[in-house]
Amino acid sequence: MPMIIDIEPVALTADSSAPGDLYPIREVARLTGVNPVTLRAWERRYGLIQPTRTESGHRLYSMTDIETVRRVLGWIERGVTVSKVGDLLTREPRSRTLEAGIETDEYSEWHLSIRAALSAFDEAELERLYGQIFSIYPVDIVFQAIFLPLWQQLLREQDEFGRTSEWLLLDGFLRGRVQHRLQLQAAGARQRVVLVALPELCHELELLVAGLLLTRTDRVVRVLAVGQPLGELSLICEKLKPQAVVLFANRALSTAHVRRLQRLANTLNCSLLLAGEAANVAQEALAGTSIGCLGSDAVLMNQRLDADLKG
């Protein structure tokens, strides 16, 4: 097993205009799990990252570059080819890309504190941090910028000793907290939406968080259990009478998935919409159908859902 050496960020030279600390390629490889050969290919072939160069030609990466590498990994793990990732990155809202350096540093500090609590298996400290974060940020930042990126990072690191246990602790902790918040919805809300996972295309926590992000004082979101048969949604809609059914997936849809959704839309007497990272990829495939794409960003999902319900 290779020895891991902690490397301090490289200070900027006096003539550099980029803010913040910079990291050499070997440190970026350690932090992200992407080897230097692949990092250089993503830069040269696809233009996904643009590191700074020293006078001698060595690459130096900012924290924003590192976040971009992690986002590229996320898309690839969801079934998107690397050649298509660049277009998807440009479509992501500013709140997701964390372009502002101060936000990136701020969220990274929270990540370090949460990881320290997880490595000590200190659930009391995790609870304290969760409450503190919720008192400072809105719910979309709490999950989409702080907790879920860390949850995804731990999920990728499960081949490292101890990471699976840390991920399970965080996953169980967050699922419990989100389920509790979902139970506090106003039952008499005017808008009623059913949220269901596409089989094997997301984790339960991702589904629950999506339900929480779509919840408002005038909208109740009924989150169905993971494993809900899609063929029985017409029965559920007959009983619950929602204005819309939102399917959630964080991995790219296959051609078979698209055909299945088109058939499903014909069996429902309400709108059928797709949310999650899959919705960002499937817009072209679903163009011309009755299925709407909400995307994955909390603000956009709610705006598009509002437009559909009002239309």
Side-chain angles (χ1 to χ4, degrees):
M1 180 180 294
M3 181 180 297
I4 296 177
I5 303 173
D6 289 331
I7 301 173
E8 292 296 323
V10 180
L12 291 168
T13 58
D15 59 350
S16 175
S17 59
D21 295 324
L22 297 177
Y23 301 80
I25 194 168
R26 63 186 182 278
E27 176 67 354
V28 177
R30 184 182 77 84
L31 290 170
T32 64
V34 180
N35 66 58
V37 173
T38 301
L39 289 171
R40 287 191 286 266
W42 286 358
E43 174 194 347
R44 290 196 302 262
R45 192 175 304 174
Y46 303 108
L48 298 177
I49 42 179
Q50 298 296 329
T52 301
R53 296 288 189 122
T54 65
E55 292 180 359
S56 57
H58 294 293
R59 293 171 172 83
L60 297 176
Y61 298 79
S62 67
M63 183 56 71
T64 300
D65 292 326
I66 293 172
E67 291 294 338
T68 300
V69 171
R70 288 171 175 159
R71 282 157 46 220
V72 172
L73 278 174
W75 282 115
I76 292 172
E77 289 168 358
R78 294 181 179 104
V80 179
T81 59
V82 67
S83 61
K84 296 181 179 179
V85 170
D87 289 339
L88 294 169
L89 293 180
T90 60
R91 293 186 214 159
E92 289 184 344
R94 184 179 179 85
S95 63
R96 290 296 309 278
T97 57
L98 307 181
E99 291 178 271
I102 184 170
E103 288 184 345
T104 301
D105 292 341
E106 193 173 299
Y107 301 152
S108 296
E109 289 175 7
W110 286 116
H111 289 167
L112 291 173
S113 298
I114 296 167
R115 292 200 73 149
L118 291 172
S119 64
F121 294 93
D122 188 345
E123 191 162 352
E125 175 63 7
L126 190 57
E127 183 74 68
R128 188 190 70 80
L129 290 168
Y130 176 83
Q132 190 174 357
I133 291 168
F134 245 105
S135 69
I136 299 173
Y137 304 101
V139 65
D140 58 329
I141 296 297
V142 169
F143 287 103
Q144 292 195 312
I146 299 178
F147 278 108
L148 279 182
L150 179 57
W151 176 90
Q152 291 162 351
Q153 184 179 348
L154 289 171
L155 183 61
R156 290 193 293 267
E157 295 174 357
Q158 288 198 35
D159 56 341
E160 297 181 29
F161 183 75
R163 291 292 183 260
T164 297
S165 297
E166 293 177 12
W167 180 83
L168 287 170
L169 173 59
L170 182 60
D171 181 70
F173 175 87
L174 292 176
R175 280 190 289 112
R177 301 313 179 277
V178 176
Q179 285 171 334
H180 175 71
R181 288 181 177 272
L182 285 170
Q183 291 168 358
L184 301 177
Q185 295 181 88
R190 179 173 55 85
Q191 297 179 354
R192 296 180 304 281
V193 173
V194 167
L195 179 66
V196 59
L198 276 173
E200 300 179 357
L201 295 185
C202 71
H203 287 80
E204 183 183 17
L205 176 62
E206 295 170 316
L207 177 70
L208 293 172
V209 169
L212 186 61
L213 295 178
L214 289 173
T215 298
R216 295 193 321 205
T217 55
D218 64 340
R219 180 191 302 146
V220 61
V221 179
R222 177 74 172 269
V223 182
L224 303 185
V226 173
Q228 167 65 45
L230 297 185
E232 297 179 9
L233 281 177
S234 58
L235 172 64
I236 291 175
C237 289
E238 182 182 335
K239 305 295 183 182
L240 299 180
K241 295 180 171 52
Q243 282 94 2
V245 170
V246 178
L247 300 172
F248 185 83
N250 262 352
R251 296 184 64 84
L253 304 185
S254 65
T255 303
H257 283 124
V258 173
R259 288 198 297 265
R260 188 176 185 185
L261 297 193
Q262 290 174 319
R263 291 195 300 270
L264 178 62
N266 294 328
T267 69
L268 303 179
N269 57 2
C270 63
S271 297
L272 182 63
L273 305 161
L274 179 66
E277 304 288 7
N280 297 320
V281 186
Q283 293 184 36
E284 184 177 343
L286 295 176
T289 73
S290 62
I291 304 166
C293 291
L294 299 182
S296 58
D297 176 75
V299 174
L300 288 178
M301 284 196 299
N302 279 285
Q303 288 175 347
R304 291 168 178 172
L305 181 55
D306 267 339
D308 180 86
L309 294 178
K310 292 174 181 177

